[in-house]
Amino acid sequence: MREVKNYIDGEWTEGKSETIERYNPADQTELVAIVVGSSVHDVDEAVFAAVKAKKKWAQTAAPERGAYLQKVAHLFEQYADELAELATKEMGKRFVETKGEVYRSAAILRYYAGEGLRRVGEVLPSFDAKNLFFTKRVPVGVVAVIAPWNFPLAIPIWKIAPALVYGNTVVFKPALEASATGARIVELFAEAGLPSGVLNFVVGRGSTIGDAIVEHKNVDAITFTGSNAIGSEIAKKAAARGAKYQLELGGKNPAIVLKDANIEFAARLVVEGAMKQTGQRCTATSRVFVEKEIIDVFRAHVMEQVKRIRVGNGMDEQVTMGPVVSKRQFETVQRYIHIGTQEGRLLIGGGASDDVGWYIEPTVFDSVSHRSIIATEEIFGPVLSIVEAASIDEAIEMANDSIYGLSASLFTNDVSKALYFIEHIEAGMVQVNGETGGAEPQAPFGGMKQSSSGTREQGQAAIEFFTAYQTISIRPHPNM
Ligand code: NAP
């Protein structure tokens, strides 16, 4: 069991309001963390520390800022097992999944360490021949990082790393369900010697301290990943006071399987896309549109794949799907499964058990209309809907008939159809013959429509959000 405190100006401090007990979603008898529930006053202190540190950090040479990230990357690898175990016990996904996330985080840290050596501006031609005319990227200032629980390591890192390397100071608020993992991340930055006040950490309930962070006059930018409901409120509040904001939100990601595809392969990847991490990925496959000529064969392969899934505690090596994160998520997913039994045909799964942990069977519905509730709303659980399509055009039309546009995939062996899909699908992340999930540190990540506020995270695209442009003219003395 870990006691999770705030980290403000280089000191671990008690919160001022309450303590919150957090139990392992795989085994509700195991107390994983006691988290301080911070107050608005704690937020003030954290922001004050970030403001105090910002000038010196912005003036620190960028390669030196990057060197801290290198050290943290190394520490992530050194403590890989311990970090993965903590994350698994705190939010339930399998140890192999959290361990993969540890290494992914290390790769992200190394990528952004390298950003400390790359260009941060360009020289432009000028109508005045003597003008040295150039742009320079400068830090935004104090950045608030508000993260969800489903990638408790990688998402905080892909926000904190670019924020720091581009010269910003940070106030980091993890999801309540990822507080202990968040604290461990901050400990590693402290172990790497990051100066006090550069990275501050405030834990507690978003409902209590969220507004204080988002509306704080000294928070210059907010990078948020989470639900559309909270994200849209953050956008309004940030815009009202002219603060920069970045939102990565929900998804209802489609896969399309054409009759020329390798059907067994497609079924395997669609099930993987839907059930990996218990379906709790913003990029999870939740709708699959299948050409009618192959739907019977596809359905049979899906059943076969789902039957192989073993639900249980993510620390058990034999288990292939962990619990959902919380009672709230357990109830939400069950509610959607109930709706699904009225809207479609339950092909497999549908069961749930809360005797030990929050366990839900991988569930597939068939004969679903693309406009039904289960095929339009984000469920964020191990539930897949199969929808019959008459053609690639109908499949794409139904796939695009969504408020979301995060990721999409197509299974085909016809390159012309792949190109047609890429041209017409409304999604930020597009896969051909791959599952809907997946991101790499060097590539921009994000969605279209209501899945994102439009900017991109990761890769060099991150510079857009974490810096501001300065456009500079230097002219010689008129006599020169
Ligand atoms: P959430 O409930 O919206 O919470 C996200 C974060 O916001 C948490 O840290 C939460 O704190 C905080 N928060 C809560 N109320 C707030 C408020 N009033 N002001 C400011 N912050 C507040 O989302 P979640 O359940 O953690 O994550 C699941 C959602 O994230 C899904 O919709 C999923 O699709 C989305 N997601 C998107 C991406 C992407 O890249 N597009 C990636 C991963 C997840 P508490 O935990 O203390 O409430």
Side-chain angles (χ1 to χ4, degrees):
M1 194 279 296
R2 298 173 70 93
E3 275 186 57
V4 181
K5 298 179 181 175
N6 292 329
Y7 186 72
I8 298 174
D9 205 10
E11 301 285 338
W12 291 96
T13 61
E14 300 282 351
K16 301 282 192 298
S17 61
E18 54 170 340
T19 51
I20 304 157
E21 291 185 345
R22 295 272 315 119
Y23 291 86
N24 184 342
D27 177 356
Q28 291 158 60
T29 61
E30 186 183 352
L31 181 63
V32 178
I34 297 183
V35 180
V36 303
S38 300
S39 66
V40 172
H41 174 75
D42 300 310
V43 172
D44 256 344
E45 288 193 343
V47 175
F48 180 67
V51 170
K52 209 170 60 161
K54 97 177 167 181
K55 192 167 168 193
K56 195 160 175 216
W57 184 246
Q59 289 172 349
T60 303
E64 198 183 318
R65 295 196 297 250
Y68 288 106
L69 303 186
Q70 281 284 11
K71 284 187 202 154
V72 181
H74 176 72
L75 293 172
F76 262 68
E77 286 164 351
Q78 187 179 328
Y79 299 120
D81 282 343
E82 177 232 306
L83 273 170
E85 185 172 339
L86 175 63
T88 291
K89 289 191 170 168
E90 187 170 35
M91 55 70 68
K93 75 181 175 193
R94 292 188 305 139
F95 181 77
V96 287
E97 291 169 334
T98 49
K99 187 125 176 229
E101 210 185 316
V102 171
Y103 286 109
R104 182 174 169 193
S105 303
I108 296 167
L109 284 157
R110 290 218 167 83
Y111 176 83
Y112 283 110
E115 274 297 277
L117 294 165
R118 293 192 194 105
R119 70 183 166 85
V120 283
E122 55 186 355
V123 177
L124 302 163
S126 167
F127 282 94
D128 175 352
K130 289 194 168 173
N131 182 15
L132 173 57
F133 196 34
F134 63 101
T135 63
K136 192 177 151 205
R137 298 284 193 159
V138 295
V140 177
V142 174
V143 174
V145 167
I146 305 181
W149 44 264
N150 67 329
F151 285 97
L153 295 152
I155 290 182
I157 288 298
W158 83 50
K159 293 175 183 295
I160 292 169
L164 295 184
V165 82
Y166 296 129
N168 305 283
T169 54
V170 170
V171 174
F172 165 36
K173 188 245 170 279
L176 188 59
E177 285 93 349
S179 304
T181 311
R184 192 70 188 110
I185 292 173
V186 174
E187 277 174 12
L188 298 186
F189 277 92
E191 190 174 334
L194 193 76
S196 298
V198 172
L199 173 61
N200 304 280
F201 179 67
V202 195
V203 280
R205 298 183 198 280
S207 52
T208 310
I209 56 171
D211 280 354
I213 299 172
V214 173
E215 295 183 324
H216 201 293
K217 67 179 191 324
N218 293 122
V219 169
D220 301 293
I222 302 126
T223 172
F224 169 86
T225 297
S227 61
N228 285 60
I230 305 231
S232 58
E233 285 304 309
I234 288 177
K236 280 185 223 156
K237 288 166 187 162
R241 63 179 186 86
K244 220 172 166 181
Y245 63 89
Q246 172 180 58
L247 312 172
E248 287 304 333
L249 308 170
K252 191 72 192 171
N253 310 295
I256 295 175
V257 183
L258 300 184
K259 52 182 178 265
D260 70 87
N262 177 326
I263 303 171
E264 189 178 353
F265 168 78
R268 180 159 60 76
L269 266 74
V270 165
V271 170
E272 198 179 305
M275 307 304 173
K276 207 173 179 177
Q277 233 180 277
T278 323
Q280 300 172 122
R281 294 186 303 159
C282 53
T283 52
T285 311
S286 55
R287 308 176 283 160
V288 57
F289 301 96
V290 186
E291 280 195 300
K292 62 175 182 300
E293 293 87 341
I294 55 156
I295 198 161
D296 291 340
V297 185
F298 178 79
R299 200 185 284 126
H301 284 302
V302 164
M303 298 273 281
E304 203 178 297
Q305 292 295 328
V306 172
K307 280 181 193 155
R308 289 191 187 154
I309 296 174
R310 209 175 139 201
V311 180
N313 189 321
M315 289 305 294
D316 179 345
E317 279 177 20
Q318 307 300 316
V319 161
T320 55
M321 195 176 100
V324 294
V325 71
S326 62
K327 182 169 192 269
R328 194 180 67 164
Q329 204 64 20
F330 181 79
E331 288 169 353
T332 302
V333 177
Q334 274 194 300
R335 183 166 54 79
Y336 278 112
I337 289 175
H338 177 68
I339 293 170
T341 56
Q342 291 162 349
E343 289 185 325
R345 179 165 68 108
L346 178 65
L347 206 57
I348 189 164
S353 157
D354 59 0
D355 292 345
V356 185
W358 307 117
Y359 293 109
I360 293 188
E361 285 176 1
T363 300
V364 182
F365 288 100
D366 189 20
S367 310
V368 173
S369 148
H370 86 281
R371 290 240 165 102
S372 62
I373 293 169
I374 57 163
T376 51
E377 295 184 11
E378 185 183 46
I379 299 174
F380 223 55
V383 182
L384 174 70
S385 294
I386 301 178
V387 182
E388 185 178 294
S391 64
I392 181 171
D393 281 310
E394 194 195 26
I396 292 175
E397 199 180 309
M398 291 191 287
N400 285 342
D401 189 12
S402 169
I403 60 166
Y404 298 109
L406 185 49
S407 65
S409 69
L410 175 76
F411 291 88
T412 184
N413 286 313
D414 182 334
V415 74
S416 303
K417 290 189 170 158
L419 291 169
Y420 186 80
F421 168 74
I422 293 165
E423 197 180 333
H424 292 94
I425 195 72
E426 294 165 0
M429 309 299 295
V430 180
Q431 300 262 358
V432 175
N433 296 325
E435 63 116 330
T436 48
E440 296 195 28
Q442 72 283 13
F445 176 85
M448 293 178 176
K449 303 198 265 188
Q450 291 185 33
S451 288
S452 169
S453 59
T455 56
R456 289 289 181 265
E457 299 195 278
Q458 303 197 65
Q460 287 209 306
I463 202 170
E464 293 299 331
F465 180 73
F466 291 104
T467 64
Y469 263 120
Q470 261 186 341
T471 305
I472 302 157
S473 290
I474 306 179
R475 294 184 182 84
H477 188 280
N479 298 338
M480 299 283 284

